[in-house]
Amino acid sequence: MTKEELALAVIERLKREYPDAGCTLDYNQAWKLLVSVRLAAQCTDARVNVVVQDLYAKYPDVESLANAPVEEIEAIVRPCGLGRSKARDISGCMKMIRDEYNGRVPEDFDALLKLPGVGRKSANLIMGDVFGKPAIVTDTHCIRLVNRMGLVDHIKEPKKVEMALWKLIPPEEGSDFCHRLVYHGRDVCTARTAPRCESCCVRDLCAQNGVSPAE
């Protein structure tokens, strides 16, 4: 089995296992997803979903959040950790969206990367979930699982993993595939405990269990 064949087989297994998998950050507008994904760094999505309720109650749109004192943003988002840097990035990002993009999140990958606090992972999440464009979100679950499965070989750098997966994953599958990896990584192929291989829907395909895809 080649890596391309392995990728397609894993995609189909995960589709059956997690048919409704999607982004676990709550949002109803593109700018809110930008805020949440920045807050999610070194924080759980569940906590972010709680914290942003207070943030949006006080600052319900791009304009009000762009005008908000950074110190007030920090006071609200502090439970997510790294409050000062996250508040600074959120403030700068909202200001740039207001001033350069007429209050709308840009539908362009390179433009997204220019926003404060937005890296490739965040930009891909926006492109896939908000705009329905091809996207591969290389978060910690994705990187861990595709290495264990043998889709990539001992690659830990997010961009290098992303570039390797672009060669294997059909563009229309990338975003949902990465969401399913998050679910699988939390429930089965865990990081802090031994992976629950006996419960894994791809155990017979996985390099972790001695299966080695051909190049």
Side-chain angles (χ1 to χ4, degrees):
M1 180 180 288
T2 66
K3 287 186 178 181
E4 290 82 359
E5 292 168 338
L6 173 61
L8 294 177
V10 169
I11 287 169
E12 289 308 310
R13 296 279 185 91
L14 293 178
K15 276 186 179 180
R16 291 200 294 269
E17 192 75 5
Y18 310 101
D20 301 319
C23 183
T24 52
L25 291 167
D26 295 337
Y27 71 98
N28 56 12
Q29 297 179 68
W31 68 271
K32 290 183 177 180
L33 183 55
L34 271 177
V35 170
S36 288
V37 73
R38 180 65 187 96
L39 292 176
Q42 301 183 39
C43 182
T44 66
D45 290 358
R47 174 167 288 189
V48 171
N49 289 338
V50 172
V51 169
V52 294
Q53 293 179 32
D54 290 336
L55 185 67
Y56 302 149
K58 190 167 186 178
Y59 306 111
D61 50 40
V62 170
E63 180 75 20
S64 60
L65 191 51
N67 291 332
V70 174
E71 296 77 14
E72 292 188 14
I73 298 174
E74 180 184 352
I76 296 172
V77 305
R78 189 175 293 120
C80 294
L82 304 174
R84 182 171 298 178
S85 63
K86 290 180 179 180
R88 185 174 61 245
D89 285 342
I90 289 169
S91 177
C93 185
M94 294 302 109
K95 284 181 168 66
M96 195 166 175
I97 291 172
R98 178 196 64 191
D99 298 339
E100 298 189 25
Y101 298 104
N102 298 313
R104 299 179 64 86
V105 174
E107 192 174 341
D108 177 81
F109 189 81
D110 291 331
L112 288 169
L113 290 179
K114 295 177 182 177
L115 297 172
V118 176
R120 297 188 66 86
K121 182 181 78 171
S122 301
N124 270 297
L125 185 65
I126 296 293
M127 293 299 289
D129 278 42
V130 174
F131 299 121
K133 302 289 183 66
I136 290 185
V137 181
T138 51
D139 65 1
T140 56
H141 292 293
C142 174
I143 294 169
R144 182 176 73 257
L145 268 63
V146 297
N147 272 280
R148 285 179 175 176
M149 292 173 181
L151 290 171
V152 304
D153 300 315
H154 311 295
I155 305 174
K156 303 298 184 183
E157 295 178 41
K159 185 176 180 180
K160 289 184 178 179
V161 172
E162 180 192 335
M163 294 302 108
L165 291 178
W166 278 119
K167 299 176 182 178
L168 303 175
I169 308 297
E172 69 277 7
E173 299 285 358
S175 182
D176 287 342
F177 173 67
C178 292
H179 286 317
R180 292 185 174 105
L181 289 178
V182 171
Y183 280 69
H184 197 61
R186 289 175 178 170
D187 296 342
V188 179
C189 199
T190 55
R192 296 183 180 177
T193 62
R196 296 170 50 230
C197 296
E198 71 282 357
S199 303
C200 180
C201 62
V202 297
R203 60 187 176 275
D204 59 314
L205 302 173
C206 183
Q208 185 86 358
N209 290 319
V211 180
S212 299
E215 294 296 334

